[in-house]
Amino acid sequence: MNRRKVVLGICGAAGALWLPRSSALAQQAFPSRSIRFVIPYPPGGASDVTARLLAQKLNEAWGQPVVVENRPGANGIIACEAVAKAAPDGYTVLMGNVGPNAINQTLYRTLPYDCVTSFAPITLTTIVPIVLVANPGLEARGVQELIALARRQPGQITFASAGPGSSNHLTGEMLKLRAGINIQHVPYRGDGPAMTDVIAGRISMMFATIIAAMPHIRSSALRPLGIATAHRSAALPDLPTFIEQGMTGFEAASWGGVLAPAGTPEPIIRHYHAELGRILAMPDVREKLAGLGAEVVGNSPEEFAAYIRSEIDKWGQAVRASGATPEG
């Protein structure tokens, strides 16, 4: 009997030693199958281009398919809910964005996910400056000229957006509040139709990502009035910031970053972070993203989590001050 106890004890100890080792080996083997990379927007936009570039590089590095899945609709809620409810095993990740992962937290009374607690941030990939562009017929060539014109013509200047509660809508609302002017919001279903009407002169102006605006700025179809970042963009080095034009502290940008479902094991989060950091440092990746007007970041999971919280607070103030709702 004593001999049997000794044998069982040895086997139990061996099993105890094997369990953490086998778990570590399972994590070292990640990924062992295809990964789903979910995007809350249709193909062709900044998030889509960035995610597909990262997916290609992850596929090359890990030797597993990284399948990009576009799940647009409901201001990003459909995609975010799908990822938030996915198994936290690293095989589903999200291309997060300022709207679904920051603005929605305040814009909606209820959400099927929480922007902070439902996700495990991995890294902030890019910041995309927002630029104010106007139809060339508008009698303003800068921010202060625009403000003066709006005060002379209250309610007559219009600004388009991709929809109620979008970043370009709320940036316009911030301008109204900060400058004390009355300009009229005209919502559209997406950036494309909004910009089309600004170019046609049916709408005075709009806040747009530099990626969306650059082709029309280069062709002189739109006139840039100011960029809403703390420093000038390398893509438009001659365009002054709002801060340079007297709007102290006026900053707004779109951004993208990779997140996993909450509860994803820390070693997998770190594995993603290390690989994405390496990818974002590649010259061809940086050149591609810079060519779109995006600023490459690549920070730590902790820094990205803090950034999301600060963005929720900033845009939340704009939502509450403007009274914006998903319906208008």
Side-chain angles (χ1 to χ4, degrees):
M1 179 65 71
N2 288 339
R3 186 171 178 273
R4 183 169 178 270
K5 285 181 180 179
V6 169
V7 171
L8 287 174
I10 292 170
C11 290
L17 289 170
W18 170 250
L19 285 174
R21 183 169 179 266
S22 62
S23 175
L25 286 174
Q27 289 169 358
Q28 287 171 8
F30 176 87
S32 58
R33 55 185 171 87
S34 64
I35 293 166
R36 185 170 61 134
F37 202 159
V38 181
I39 309 172
Y41 299 107
S47 292
D48 181 71
V49 171
T50 303
R52 289 180 186 278
L53 181 58
L54 297 177
Q56 175 192 338
K57 295 294 187 180
L58 286 172
N59 170 247
E60 293 170 1
W62 289 346
Q64 295 292 344
V66 181
V67 182
V68 173
E69 182 179 315
N70 297 91
R71 299 198 66 176
N75 281 354
I77 292 174
I78 294 171
C80 287
E81 180 181 12
V83 174
K85 293 180 177 178
D89 54 10
Y91 289 98
T92 301
V93 290
L94 174 74
M95 191 72 227
N97 184 266
V98 60
N101 297 98
I103 293 173
N104 281 1
Q105 189 78 3
T106 309
L107 185 66
Y108 289 86
R109 290 185 179 179
T110 59
L111 278 175
Y113 63 91
D114 184 278
C115 290
V116 173
T117 61
S118 296
F119 302 99
I122 297 172
T123 189
L124 178 66
T125 55
T126 54
I127 289 177
V128 181
I130 290 178
V131 59
L132 177 58
V133 290
N135 181 275
L138 187 69
E139 297 176 7
R141 294 184 173 273
V143 173
Q144 290 303 326
E145 287 185 19
L146 169 66
I147 292 170
L149 181 64
R151 287 173 178 163
R152 292 196 305 270
Q153 301 175 1
Q156 294 183 41
I157 295 175
T158 52
F159 73 99
S161 81
S166 60
S167 59
N168 42 23
H169 168 213
L170 293 174
T171 307
E173 295 293 344
M174 286 197 295
L175 176 62
K176 287 170 63 175
L177 291 166
R178 289 286 307 276
I181 55 177
N182 178 14
I183 53 178
Q184 296 300 312
H185 173 227
V186 183
Y188 287 78
R189 291 183 179 273
D191 282 333
M195 195 164 293
T196 296
D197 273 7
V198 177
I199 292 169
R202 288 184 282 271
I203 303 295
S204 307
M205 61 184 194
M206 73 177 290
F207 285 93
T209 64
I210 197 169
I211 292 173
M214 277 303 293
H216 307 296
I217 293 172
R218 287 178 178 141
S219 69
S220 299
L222 292 173
R223 175 189 297 150
L225 303 183
I227 192 162
T229 44
H231 53 83
R232 296 192 186 196
S233 169
L236 287 171
D238 296 327
L239 181 64
T241 65
F242 274 72
I243 295 170
E244 288 178 285
Q245 297 184 67
M247 300 288 289
T248 304
F250 191 94
E251 293 184 52
S254 181
W255 49 262
V258 182
L259 305 101
T264 300
E266 185 70 14
I268 291 178
I269 296 295
R270 296 295 170 185
H271 190 41
Y272 264 110
H273 177 258
E275 195 59 50
L276 288 170
R278 186 186 68 82
I279 290 168
L280 290 169
M282 291 179 174
D284 62 323
V285 172
R286 298 183 75 87
E287 183 179 353
K288 173 74 172 178
L289 294 174
L292 296 171
E295 299 175 4
V296 178
V297 184
N299 60 5
S300 70
E302 295 78 13
E303 289 168 335
F304 188 21
Y307 182 77
I308 290 171
R309 289 192 294 270
S310 70
E311 285 287 281
I312 290 171
D313 181 60
K314 180 180 77 177
W315 292 106
Q317 291 178 35
V319 170
R320 288 187 290 269
S322 68
T325 67
E327 294 75 32

